[in-house]
Amino acid sequence: MADSKQQHLINDYRINSADIDGFDKRYRTHFINSLSGFKSANLVGTISAAGVPNLAIVNSVFHLGAAPPLMGMITRSNSVRRDTAENIKQTGYFTLNHVNRHIYQQAHQTSARYAAEVNEFEAVGLTEEYSETIPAPYVAESAIRIGLKVEEVKPIEINKTEFIIGRIVEITAPKDCVENDGYINVEAAGTICVSSLDAYHQTSRIDRLSYAKPDLPLSSLN
Amino acid sequence: MADSKQQHLINDYRINSADIDGFDKRYRTHFINSLSGFKSANLVGTISAAGVPNLAIVNSVFHLGAAPPLMGMITRSNSVRRDTAENIKQTGYFTLNHVNRHIYQQAHQTSARYAAEVNEFEAVGLTEEYSETIPAPYVAESAIRIGLKVEEVKPIEINKTEFIIGRIVEITAPKDCVENDGYINVEAAGTICVSSLDAYHQTSRIDRLSYAKPDLPLSSLN
């Protein structure tokens, strides 16, 4: 890599804080949203106190811990509609439903600003499904569906967003996608991912690698 | 979808809280880590107060906001080594470097529990690179590199992890991957993603979709 610095000078776009401040709003939103790399694509299902189901795509869901089983999600005006966050706080439950290649257009359409009394399942053409355990609606067309109970809502003061912590209370996944060691082959289930705000990607597995230890070579688990 | 319920009964694996509690530790870790879908794959670069560089793979980085430009990251014993979190708190800076298909094995190897005095760049065969702005080391082999200043560290009491908020202060990306509207084509930059703990995936773009509005059909931005 002796020449790496020189190559970078020629090929790279270098941006600092002042440059970011000078970007126009839309450019900045696309650019900054690209930086974390690939994001998960989930549909969050909720129901209002008045009984109106709500569905919204969210790209900010992440694993928070396995014991207890927790997932995190950031709400913000761009990605999670206010009525979703309101429903979560009022009812204490939500579902997460993996977006797959058959429903990515309907999933993206849920990001439109529908009026609060609109049922987005009906508006975009997806099917509500309910379990006996929680009140929030699932997406029948999604292969991997997770039911969560709200554990905590932490305010993030710096940009007036919220960090929602959910405890996983039920999961549905295709039997043939759950491998012997507990790994769920989300790729086989058709789950896709997102980059920035609006780009949808399918995946192809390169490898599964063994647990890393110092001074031991990795092996492939494929 | 009239038959969806019946199909689910035959084809689906249905798990509840009691089932999760009964899983053995390793199975549970693989299973629960799979549930968020695809994750970003980043190498976090830090340096200790004593000057020892540290490099660790992290799958819990997410976009937090564009204005101000913020990224979030969850530290936990499994995914972010304690010395990474210590370095971040002591020096106030860290870098995020996208994992690409050429370096995923070295990236995975950084998850081994090396002693605190070991420089993981040297241990796994990646190249340190420094800017004039921040003290934390970048990974020269990574095409998209982000420098961050720590804004806040929030404790997550429920599972004794930490939520690190970083403000983006500099970015390097290949010129030909930054599109006219600010979208960074991370796929063209070779960035890959992760599922569960150990599976690495390359991507292929399905589509970019237009900004969604009620009652307007989506169009493709490809």
Side-chain angles (χ1 to χ4, degrees):
Chain A
M1 298 296 296
D3 294 327
S4 72
K5 203 139 210 166
Q6 213 162 359
Q7 284 171 15
H8 289 336
L9 286 174
I10 299 167
N11 300 323
D12 282 352
Y13 186 39
R14 294 182 169 235
I15 301 293
N16 62 28
S17 295
D19 299 324
I20 297 172
D21 290 342
F23 285 165
D24 79 50
K25 193 188 164 198
R26 204 176 170 82
Y27 188 98
R28 176 190 182 118
T29 303
H30 286 137
F31 187 89
I32 301 294
N33 264 279
S34 304
L35 293 175
S36 58
F38 292 102
K39 307 174 185 185
S40 56
N42 282 283
L43 283 160
V44 51
T46 58
I47 194 160
S48 73
V52 181
N54 185 284
L55 191 64
I57 191 165
V58 56
N59 304 325
S60 65
V61 165
F62 48 91
H63 172 81
L64 190 56
L70 300 172
M71 295 173 81
M73 177 169 80
I74 306 296
T75 67
R76 38 180 217 282
S77 46
N78 286 335
S79 78
V80 177
R81 291 156 47 81
R82 276 182 218 293
D83 38 5
T84 298
E86 275 312 303
N87 291 352
I88 286 175
K89 284 185 250 182
Q90 281 179 16
T91 66
Y93 289 94
F94 61 108
T95 70
L96 292 171
N97 307 268
H98 284 203
V99 175
N100 60 52
R101 61 180 75 101
H102 305 296
I103 60 169
Y104 77 94
Q105 289 164 312
Q106 292 100 311
H108 188 76
Q109 183 62 33
T110 64
S111 63
R113 291 176 189 275
Y114 291 104
E117 66 274 16
V118 170
N119 175 342
E120 285 88 1
F121 284 92
E122 292 171 3
V124 307
L126 291 171
T127 312
E128 290 165 61
E129 191 174 272
Y130 292 87
S131 79
E132 286 161 16
T133 315
I134 67 169
Y138 289 99
V139 178
E141 291 84 354
S142 176
I144 298 177
R145 307 185 290 286
I146 306 147
L148 301 105
K149 183 176 190 309
V150 178
E151 193 69 48
E152 195 181 345
V153 179
K154 278 184 186 293
I156 303 177
E157 297 80 6
I158 189 172
N159 65 353
K160 299 191 171 54
T161 57
E162 289 173 319
F163 173 23
I164 295 176
I165 300 178
R167 180 186 287 254
I168 299 164
V169 296
E170 61 180 358
I171 301 138
T172 305
K175 272 181 193 158
D176 55 4
C177 294
V178 182
E179 302 187 359
N180 289 337
D181 64 356
Y183 173 76
I184 307 176
N185 190 334
V186 296
E187 183 170 290
T191 300
I192 61 173
C193 57
V194 173
S195 63
S196 197
L197 293 174
D198 52 25
Y200 295 86
H201 306 256
Q202 53 191 336
T203 63
S204 118
R205 195 203 288 180
I206 302 168
D207 213 348
R208 270 191 83 189
L209 293 176
S210 57
Y211 188 83
K213 295 187 175 179
D215 305 318
L216 258 188
L218 294 168
S219 59
S220 171
L221 304 180
N222 270 352
Chain B
M1 298 298 295
D3 295 327
S4 73
K5 202 138 210 168
Q6 211 162 359
Q7 282 170 17
H8 289 335
L9 286 174
I10 298 166
N11 299 323
D12 281 353
Y13 186 40
R14 295 184 166 231
I15 301 294
N16 62 29
S17 295
D19 298 324
I20 297 172
D21 290 343
F23 285 165
D24 80 50
K25 193 187 164 198
R26 204 176 171 81
Y27 188 97
R28 176 189 182 120
T29 304
H30 286 137
F31 187 88
I32 301 293
N33 264 279
S34 304
L35 293 176
S36 57
F38 291 102
K39 307 175 186 185
S40 56
N42 282 283
L43 283 160
V44 50
T46 58
I47 194 161
S48 73
V52 181
N54 185 283
L55 191 64
I57 190 165
V58 56
N59 303 326
S60 65
V61 166
F62 48 92
H63 171 80
L64 190 56
L70 301 172
M71 294 172 83
M73 176 169 80
I74 306 295
T75 67
R76 39 180 216 281
S77 47
N78 284 338
S79 77
V80 177
R81 290 156 48 80
R82 276 181 218 293
D83 37 4
T84 297
E86 275 311 303
N87 291 352
I88 286 175
K89 284 185 250 179
Q90 282 181 14
T91 66
Y93 289 94
F94 61 107
T95 71
L96 293 171
N97 307 267
H98 283 204
V99 175
N100 60 52
R101 61 180 76 102
H102 305 296
I103 60 169
Y104 76 94
Q105 288 165 311
Q106 293 99 312
H108 188 75
Q109 183 62 34
T110 64
S111 63
R113 292 177 188 274
Y114 291 103
E117 68 273 16
V118 170
N119 175 341
E120 284 88 0
F121 285 91
E122 293 172 1
V124 308
L126 292 170
T127 312
E128 288 165 60
E129 190 174 270
Y130 292 87
S131 79
E132 286 160 15
T133 315
I134 67 168
Y138 288 100
V139 178
E141 290 84 355
S142 176
I144 297 177
R145 307 185 288 287
I146 306 147
L148 301 107
K149 184 175 189 311
V150 178
E151 193 68 50
E152 195 180 344
V153 179
K154 278 186 185 293
I156 304 176
E157 297 79 6
I158 188 173
N159 65 352
K160 300 190 170 55
T161 56
E162 288 173 320
F163 173 24
I164 295 176
I165 300 177
R167 181 186 288 255
I168 299 165
V169 295
E170 61 180 358
I171 301 137
T172 306
K175 271 180 194 159
D176 56 4
C177 295
V178 182
E179 301 186 359
N180 289 337
D181 64 356
Y183 173 76
I184 307 176
N185 190 332
V186 296
E187 183 171 290
T191 299
I192 61 173
C193 58
V194 173
S195 63
S196 196
L197 293 174
D198 51 26
Y200 294 86
H201 306 255
Q202 53 191 336
T203 63
S204 120
R205 196 202 288 179
I206 303 167
D207 213 347
R208 271 191 83 190
L209 294 176
S210 57
Y211 189 84
K213 294 187 177 180
D215 305 318
L216 258 189
L218 294 169
S219 59
S220 172
L221 305 180
N222 269 354

